[in-house]
């Protein structure tokens, strides 16, 4: 499927404008293209109990499930200045779970795959019941 990076960035910027980041003052927006062509997005939502704040990617994967599921094929994340932002370690794991093999990300050092930014990942296939073999393709 054709990846329109400009459209993905615009969706990430729009999402970033909804961020609730009164503690860090660091708004984040994330957007991803799903294998059926739709775009899902999310923003960070912080909390007075700082450690339980939600990254933008949390909202994105929730949006993915709520709007029909599917596999992510391309991802773009921005900070408040609309610059590319790398997903944090935990969020790389979140994205991995819902990514199609070879999902592309815009990174601060060019386009990379999810496998490059989360090498030797633990994932659904590593669980004893093999549940993930049909979950991640
Ligand atoms: N943040 C995200 O939303 N996604 C990331 O991948 C990196 C960090 C948020 C969490 C927190 O609200 C703010 O950025 C500062 O760390």
């Amino acid at each position: 499927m054709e990846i329109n990076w400009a459209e993905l960035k615009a969706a990430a910027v729009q999402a970033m404008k909804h961020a609730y980041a009164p503690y860090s003052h660091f708004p984040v927006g994330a957007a991803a293209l799903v294998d059926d062509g739709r775009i899902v997005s999310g923003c960070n939502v912080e909390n007075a109990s700082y450690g339980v704040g939600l990254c933008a990617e949390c909202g994105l994967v929730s949006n993915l499930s709520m709007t029909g599921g599917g596999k992510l094929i391309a991802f773009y994340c921005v900070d408040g200045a609309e610059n590319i932002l790398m997903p944090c370690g935990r969020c790389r794991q979140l994205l991995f779970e819902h990514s199609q093999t070879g999902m592309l990300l815009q990174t601060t050092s060019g386009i990379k795959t999810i496998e490059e930014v989360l090498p030797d990942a633990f994932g659904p296939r590593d669980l004893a019941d093999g549940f993930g073999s049909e979950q991640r393709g």
Side-chain angles (χ1 to χ4, degrees):
M1 189 181 305
E2 181 85 6
I3 298 169
N4 184 338
W5 289 109
E7 187 184 16
L8 265 192
K9 179 182 179 183
V13 168
Q14 270 310 111
M16 179 270 290
K17 291 178 179 167
H18 293 280
Y20 175 73
Y23 306 107
S24 71
H25 305 289
F26 192 83
V28 178
L33 178 65
V34 186
D35 58 358
D36 66 359
R38 73 192 200 280
I39 289 178
V40 291
S41 61
C43 61
N44 56 334
V45 179
E46 297 183 347
N47 194 281
S49 179
Y50 302 156
V52 303
L54 303 173
C55 282
E57 293 85 342
C58 299
L60 184 152
V61 298
S62 181
N63 185 203
L64 175 71
S65 288
M66 285 295 292
T67 59
K71 296 294 175 195
L72 304 177
I73 61 178
F75 174 84
Y76 205 120
C77 187
V78 297
D79 64 17
E82 305 186 9
N83 291 320
I84 290 170
L85 189 72
M86 292 304 292
C88 76
R90 191 196 85 111
C91 289
R92 294 179 199 199
Q93 184 73 31
L94 282 189
L95 293 169
F96 182 78
E97 178 82 19
H98 300 284
S99 62
Q100 191 166 86
T101 301
M103 183 192 88
L104 298 175
L105 303 86
Q106 286 283 353
T107 79
T108 47
S109 49
I111 295 174
K112 292 189 175 173
T113 66
I114 184 70
E115 290 80 11
E116 286 176 294
V117 302
L118 192 67
D120 302 325
F122 169 83
R125 284 201 186 92
D126 296 306
L127 294 176
D129 61 7
F131 180 65
S133 55
E134 74 226 32
Q135 291 297 303
R136 188 168 187 274

